[in-house]
Amino acid sequence: MRILRAGDHRQMPWKNGGGFTTEIAISPSGATVSDFDWRISMAKVPSSGPFSAFANVDRVLAVLDGEMRLTIGGGQATLIGPTSPAIAFPGDVPTSAEVIREVTDLNVMVRRGRFSANVRRLDQAGIVANAEETFVLFRSAAEVSPRDAFGLDDVIHLFATEGLAFTSIPKNAWLVEITSI
């Protein structure tokens, strides 16, 4: 198990220059936005606009705070907020957001055909990592036995078969699972 504290996450500009992202984890270590296998990040989206395009990349997006209408390709806009499930879409299809209330999102990107990603709310007091890479992002305070405390945007990284138990079900946490295909 590795602990990734919020204060250690790396800040960087968006690929399209429209804002900033907070990179939580990337593989391989030292990869860039052009050559990663997979990448987990968060971004503040203060205003409406297009998403950056990523060729041969699949994305999974969850809204952590705020609300927006997401339009993927020529499809109908989907209203998403903090209670919505994560949405998967191809990173190379034109995608845009109409921001209703400033959004903070969780964005997981994987190299198409090589990795897959699953993103969902964590709704249990214990977990065993079934994926090759498993991450838990905390959006509220949580404790893990034996009494390790976690706060806003701290992350636990579990490797395959590792487990952990919380002192109680986290009030607001997201589970990210990445598997090679």
Side-chain angles (χ1 to χ4, degrees):
M1 178 173 81
R2 235 176 50 180
I3 298 170
L4 309 171
R5 296 289 180 188
D8 296 331
H9 301 329
R10 188 171 78 144
Q11 298 274 323
M12 59 192 352
W14 289 350
K15 184 178 171 187
N16 69 9
F20 288 88
T21 191
T22 301
E23 187 175 87
I24 295 169
I26 192 167
S27 179
S29 180
T32 67
V33 294
S34 310
D35 63 0
F36 61 83
D37 288 336
W38 55 260
R39 181 175 185 249
I40 302 170
S41 62
M42 293 185 309
K44 290 215 180 284
V45 184
S47 58
S48 302
F51 277 43
S52 299
F54 287 90
N56 301 311
V57 168
D58 290 324
R59 296 175 80 156
V60 183
L61 182 87
V63 171
L64 305 174
D65 297 308
E67 192 173 49
M68 69 180 171
R69 284 187 183 85
L70 188 66
T71 303
I72 302 165
Q76 188 170 4
T78 302
L79 181 65
I80 56 174
T83 60
S84 304
I87 294 178
F89 60 97
D92 44 12
V93 169
T95 302
S96 62
E98 177 191 346
V99 175
I100 298 164
R101 285 183 300 123
E102 182 174 277
V103 166
T104 301
D105 68 27
L106 171 62
N107 182 41
V108 179
M109 297 188 287
V110 296
R111 193 64 55 193
R112 185 174 301 134
R114 293 179 51 206
F115 295 90
S116 66
N118 181 40
V119 177
R120 64 179 172 84
R121 264 182 215 77
L122 184 64
D123 59 1
Q124 56 202 42
I127 185 172
V128 174
N130 294 318
E132 292 164 37
E133 308 280 350
T134 300
F135 296 83
V136 178
L137 168 68
F138 297 101
R139 294 297 292 166
S140 62
E143 288 185 351
V144 175
S145 299
R147 298 281 186 216
D148 289 324
F150 300 92
L152 180 67
D153 298 336
D154 285 342
V155 175
I156 293 176
H157 179 196
L158 299 170
F159 300 97
T161 72
E162 283 187 308
L164 66 107
F166 300 99
T167 56
S168 63
I169 297 172
K171 289 185 171 108
N172 191 355
W174 287 84
L175 180 68
V176 175
E177 297 171 306
I178 299 174
T179 306
S180 61
I181 296 175

